[in-house]
Amino acid sequence: MTTNMGETLAIGKAHPLAVGRYPHTDEPRPVVGVRHGITARLTTSAFYELAELAQEHAAADTGFFGVWSGGVLFEIG
């Protein structure tokens, strides 16, 4: 990903992807850890691009959709 400051980061262990929810709409809120507790929110179009790459994975009694990056599986939904 490229931040609005022009910094290019590879999503992975050092820059993890997390997908929370906006409290009033319950829509996905994807963010990537940049550094020192600072996160960058992904644009809607970038999140949709990730969603197109997502694959279904099994976990315990449920399944989830996730993407691999930097050798790490990130759950996106």
Side-chain angles (χ1 to χ4, degrees):
M1 69 167 253
T2 302
T3 69
N4 62 348
M5 302 301 288
E7 184 177 2
T8 301
L9 307 170
I11 296 173
K13 187 175 180 179
H15 305 287
L17 171 68
V19 181
R21 296 274 178 194
Y22 286 103
H24 294 88
T25 64
D26 203 36
E27 293 179 22
R29 184 179 186 280
V31 296
V32 173
V34 177
R35 69 176 110 14
H36 307 296
I38 297 171
T39 59
R41 188 181 63 83
L42 270 65
T43 62
T44 301
S45 61
F47 183 65
Y48 287 154
E49 287 180 38
L50 278 178
E52 288 180 15
L53 299 172
Q55 298 177 336
E56 190 170 4
H57 298 273
D61 294 335
T62 63
F64 67 93
F65 286 93
V67 292
W68 286 95
S69 185
V72 180
L73 176 61
F74 295 98
E75 182 177 344
I76 66 167

